[in-house]
Amino acid sequence: MITSQPNRLASGGLIDRSAPLNFRFDGKTFAGFQGDTLASALIANGVKLVGRSFKYHRPRGILTAGSEEPNALVELRTGARREPNTKATTAELYDGLEAASQNRWPSLRHDLMAVNQLFASIFVAGFYYKTFMWPAKFWEAVYEPAIRRAAGLGRAAGAADPDHYDKAWAHCDVLIAGSGPAGLAAALAAGRSGARVILCEEDFLLGGRLLADGGTIDGMPAAEWVSRTLAELATLPDVRIMNRTTLFGVYDGGTYGAIERVNDHLPSPPEHQVRQRLWRIVAKRCVVAAGAIERPIVFAGNDTPGVMMASAMRTYVARYSATPAKRIALFTNNEDGWRTVEAALGAGLQIAAVVDARPDVSAAHRALAAKAGFAVLNGFVSGVDGGKDGVKKISISLAGGARAEVETDGLAVSGGWNPAVGLTSYHRGRPKWQDDISAFVPDGAPPGMEAAGAANGAFGLGACLRQGFAAGAAAAQSAGRDGNAGAPPVADDEAFSLTPLWHVAGKGKAFVDYQHDVTAADIELAQREGFESVEHLKRYTTLGMATDQGKTSNVAGLAIMAAVSGKSIPETGTTIYRPPYVPVAIGAFAGQHRDENFHATRLTPSHHWAAEQGAVFVDTGLWKRAQWYPRAGEKDWLETVIREVKAVRGGVGFCDVSTLGKIDVHGPDAGAFLDRVYINTFSNLAVGKARYGLMLREDGMVYDDGTTSRLAEDHYFLTTTTAKAGPVMQHLEFCRQVLFPELNVQLTSVSDQWAQFSIAGPKTRDLLREIVDPAEDLSNEAFPFMGARKVSLRGGIGARLFRISFSGEMAFEISVPARYGDALVRNLMLAGKQFGVTPYGTEALGVMRIEKGHVAGPELNGTTTAADLGLGKMMSTRKDFIGRVMAGREALAARDRQVVVGIKATDSARRLRSGAHVIPKGEIPGPANDQGYITSVCFSPTLDQWIGLALVERGRDRIGEIVHAHDPLRGEDYDVELCNPVFYDPDGGRQRG
Amino acid sequence: MRIVCPFCGERELGEFTYLGDAKPVRPAAGASEDEVFDYVYLRDNIAGAMSEYWYHGGGCRAWLKITRNTLTHEISSVEPAAGVGARQVAR
Ligand SMILES: [Zn+2]
């Protein structure tokens, strides 16, 4: 049974009564209309209690009608789409909407956690620091879980977000934040001037305060002016209006962040559409017309449901035709609050009384009061009677000292307006105090940004239009658009007289920050305890640190601090403003980059073929590399890898090594250039030869290694490790451009241009002869070890052939243009069938390199020198090269450095694991006698036991010594023997044969 | 942040990689260990205009010398870094 909407006016408002919607709140079904927010629909249904507060679990109602809302936070939607801490005041109603109140147990009306109020004394300012200090282990075990249960906000969905998010760029001359009178006037001026304009409005309707407050512009009702203005803007060539879009951040160089809630107003996004879109907008100029936020007055009981901001009260009445109360009282210190009285009377509601802090209420208002029959009391509201069912009665301290009470079911409060200074302060601009409106206004805005209208402290409608129009025209002009902006829209300026009032002293809790339950007493306590600086005040009390970032509370909080510390408000100052202006879902920042699209994936030329073979792949940076190729009946990876290694060592196998970085080095000075970046010499390398090279960083540590071949007098082909392909290219470009401009040399990254395979094993030549043009002589004489040259394949395809070996076997690496990579691998399989050719993966590659004692990533770890790796002799003494001088430092040449050495377990059945620490045999493990660690291990099918490489102090002087391997992580202790790192074919006869 | 590459025009920060201070000049071959140590390790901690190396890896692959205010991120000049880090050496 759907309840009627008892608090809905019979007519009026910007809701579509022909489109009724049903929704559920805390399991109960209600009705609303298209055009409602969840908050306005709840109000129309007479729901006053919508949540419980953070610490004290006090009953809370709806305070505002916008994105500044601190109280009315709900869990919106269900299941995987459940979104906690969603503001009911901005959530658009849709049919079937489901929302639940938060932070209550077992139910909103009967919240047992409200006992927290009885222990309020422990929840005072700084309670996190005071109450839960000792013992430390109690924090994780007791305090934190208890606090999380008792104090907190909504629950996350706990399941993967089923929706998609997108990221997009936009560029414009003039970016405008806000579609109120100032924003629309700015868009008119800029658009007419010929500027490319983007206007962002967080609401789903355009018009800002005009939607609720109306007024007369250019002699017509505001609503008519808005629709005429939108019609004109639509005719301009490049004005883009984005509603449901909040400008949340300002970044360097005129870049802005905006979040577009594309489909949040629907139950779920239509197929193939995104939920939200994150915009990065690059704008030459920005006009901030984001308006102002009405501020509360702090008094006892000011958080009772039914106490509402005056502007919000009239927004619900005028825009949504929903009445928060029948008999409204107003507590104001300024003229603007009275507009709520006018709106309420216009809607046929009763006014209980107006409590005005100013003694000099205008004659017009007094006449209105007399006519409508309500009292105007000069004084302050000092207490509220009521609870979860709302306000019943207010107590008033009259100016003369007497007290009064007024029965009311809704108290509208206006303490004045704070310009929305967030966007203008995001580059550490400090807003400045403006006395006549008792508010901070923008100062020190980021370059190219200007505030206009209420955001700039100009509250009159006429002033908003004038400032907005002028700012729009000026922004277009400075963006180089100087068309005729035409005439500005015109309206009268309302009076805005205000007597500053922040806090009414009295008994009972008076809330400053509703969302974090920070009271006036907390601020006074913080001051007494020495946390007087606003930045300290903020951290100590958590004022302004909730999801609303203190939009309704910060200024009141620092005004109270100013009062108790005897300073002025400008002396007290503001905290630093930081984006985002509203919470932005992490999903929006991630966009499409999640799950398998978290990063780009690079596939080797043989990938699809390898996948057909059932290869197991491993992620190496962005690459997917075949790790091994399991065959039916093999019980585990180790069996597979052993088979692959034996097949290579006994016959022939191949492995895709295309992931290595490849750089063509061209030019008459190519050799001289390589001499400066490698520790060894390349200028004397003969054409048709390859050489292993080692690069250092300028600090003397090893940077990268690889084989570089000379294909012509002025052409070298350089390879890098897979991991360093990008960084080495960048480093070499730095050397070429910045350090050695006198060298005539060019670098070209060709990593993706060549498919490269290592073919290894004693039958390599037999297999290659099936692939390579028979005219090519592959004999040891014509193509010796470390030879490198261009060859033709059968069919005439050009290839590069390198006689280099990582495995220690007779081996070649062959490069073909990447587009032939797939064909090559399939032909290798066909041609190699007669020789039992076996594809092998990176694991077998790793086994064979450890057997051969080659260093790789675990040893080239950024802390090893060439000498540490056993490659010190490669360092030329006859030339300058990157890292030469620093590599000669005393400590880097010290005798007791940890150097690469081989290890094998004394118990040949023992499995080794990398990471184990090496300590002298017989000593107790500890930092004092830690002599290094095991870097790489494998099971060697050739030696039929586990072997490894380690970095060990003076390791190469201790060959044959038994040391102790200590692995506290895995709880293992065993003895290993230090040995020659080249386990296999130490004199290299096989690779030369 | 936006950087106006002298070769590619105005581009977004994500296309560039930062290296650091562009003031140190690589000592010539034969320089003392102290000179090279200064070059490798010693940097001023500048609050204000600083000349820096940036790499346009997502564009033309040029190394650039950029003058950036470390307090405001305002970029006052962008030029090719060709030869900026080189001390003239005898060939
Ligand atoms: Zn560029």
Side-chain angles (χ1 to χ4, degrees), chain A residues 467 483 561 792 818 952:
Chain A
Q467 282 198 0
M561 175 56 84
S792 281
V952 179

Side-chain angles (χ1 to χ4, degrees), chain A residues 892-928:
Chain A
L892 297 198
R895 284 186 48 82
D896 61 350
R897 285 186 66 80
Q898 297 179 358
V899 299
V900 168
V901 64
I903 50 153
K904 52 190 179 192
T906 52
D907 169 8
S908 64
R910 172 100 220 170
R911 178 172 182 169
L912 305 181
R913 292 183 195 273
S914 53
H917 288 255
V918 173
I919 54 166
K921 188 163 167 54
E923 291 191 25
I924 296 163

Side-chain angles (χ1 to χ4, degrees), chain B residues 27 30 32 44 47 49 53 55 59 63 66 68 70 72 77-79 81 83:
Chain B
S32 71
D44 294 331
Y53 287 124
Y55 179 58
W63 277 93
I66 291 180
R68 180 182 67 104
T70 59
T72 63
S77 80
V78 184
E79 53 194 77

Side-chain angles (χ1 to χ4, degrees), chain A residues 2-3 5 8 14-17 19-25 28-45 47 62 74 76-77 86-100 203-205 244 263-268 316 319-320 322:
Chain A
I2 299 165
T3 56
Q5 300 176 47
R8 186 77 76 178
L14 302 174
I15 47 169
D16 183 355
R17 288 166 205 265
L21 309 171
N22 292 335
F23 69 101
R24 286 160 70 83
F25 178 67
K28 199 174 166 197
T29 303
F30 297 98
F33 293 114
Q34 189 76 46
D36 264 324
T37 61
L38 174 58
S40 69
L42 287 170
I43 287 170
N45 285 282
V47 177
I62 295 160
V74 298
L76 192 66
R77 299 183 166 86
T86 305
K87 293 179 282 265
T89 51
T90 57
E92 285 178 57
L93 200 68
Y94 54 82
D95 199 40
L97 180 147
E98 288 214 36
D203 203 330
F204 54 99
L205 293 183
R244 299 189 175 105
N263 280 306
D264 274 5
H265 60 295
L266 301 176
S268 59
Y316 288 116
R319 174 173 171 179
Y320 299 104

Side-chain angles (χ1 to χ4, degrees), chain A residues 39 43 47-48 61-65 69 71 89 294-296 299 302-317 322-325 328-331 340 391 409-414 514:
Chain A
I43 287 170
V47 177
K48 290 201 163 170
I62 295 160
L63 185 73
T64 75
E69 175 64 29
N71 276 351
T89 51
E294 195 171 25
R295 60 196 185 207
F299 55 87
N302 64 339
D303 66 328
T304 311
V307 178
M308 188 181 277
M309 299 316 305
S311 59
M313 187 90 81
R314 64 181 184 266
T315 295
Y316 288 116
V317 172
T323 57
I328 295 169
L330 169 71
F331 179 24
T340 301
V391 176
D409 61 344
L411 175 61
V413 179
S414 180
Y514 291 76

Side-chain angles (χ1 to χ4, degrees), chain A residues 162-367:
Chain A
D163 292 327
H164 295 275
Y165 298 80
D166 204 1
K167 289 192 276 193
W169 284 92
H171 298 255
C172 64
D173 295 320
V174 181
L175 173 65
I176 299 166
S179 72
L184 289 178
L188 269 184
R192 287 172 182 168
S193 303
R196 300 168 66 200
V197 176
I198 294 176
L199 184 150
C200 298
E201 166 57 58
E202 67 176 346
D203 203 330
F204 54 99
L205 293 183
L206 300 166
R209 284 303 303 166
L210 297 175
L211 293 170
D213 286 351
T216 303
I217 302 173
D218 285 347
M220 65 186 99
E224 192 185 331
W225 178 81
V226 169
S227 47
R228 282 196 193 195
T229 299
L230 293 177
E232 181 181 345
L233 291 174
T235 67
L236 295 173
D238 209 344
V239 176
R240 177 176 189 168
I241 310 262
M242 298 172 69
N243 65 340
R244 299 189 175 105
T245 304
T246 307
L247 208 62
F248 66 76
V250 184
Y251 305 94
D252 294 306
T255 306
Y256 300 82
I259 183 73
E260 181 185 11
R261 287 169 290 275
V262 184
N263 280 306
D264 274 5
H265 60 295
L266 301 176
S268 59
E271 207 177 353
H272 308 305
Q273 284 199 29
V274 297
R275 170 89 177 268
Q276 297 178 350
R277 189 175 287 124
L278 185 88
W279 286 92
R280 280 176 286 182
I281 303 173
V282 180
K284 296 197 178 91
R285 290 290 180 276
C286 179
V287 177
V288 173
I293 294 169
E294 195 171 25
R295 60 196 185 207
I297 299 169
V298 180
F299 55 87
N302 64 339
D303 66 328
T304 311
V307 178
M308 188 181 277
M309 299 316 305
S311 59
M313 187 90 81
R314 64 181 184 266
T315 295
Y316 288 116
V317 172
R319 174 173 171 179
Y320 299 104
S321 218
T323 57
K326 301 266 184 285
R327 211 175 119 79
I328 295 169
L330 169 71
F331 179 24
T332 185
N333 67 343
N334 68 86
E335 196 65 8
D336 189 72
W338 279 85
R339 300 174 80 155
T340 301
V341 171
E342 289 155 14
L345 291 174
L349 302 173
Q350 274 194 319
I351 299 298
V354 171
V355 182
D356 198 322
R358 305 168 303 166
D360 49 349
V361 172
S362 70
H365 288 332
R366 291 198 183 282

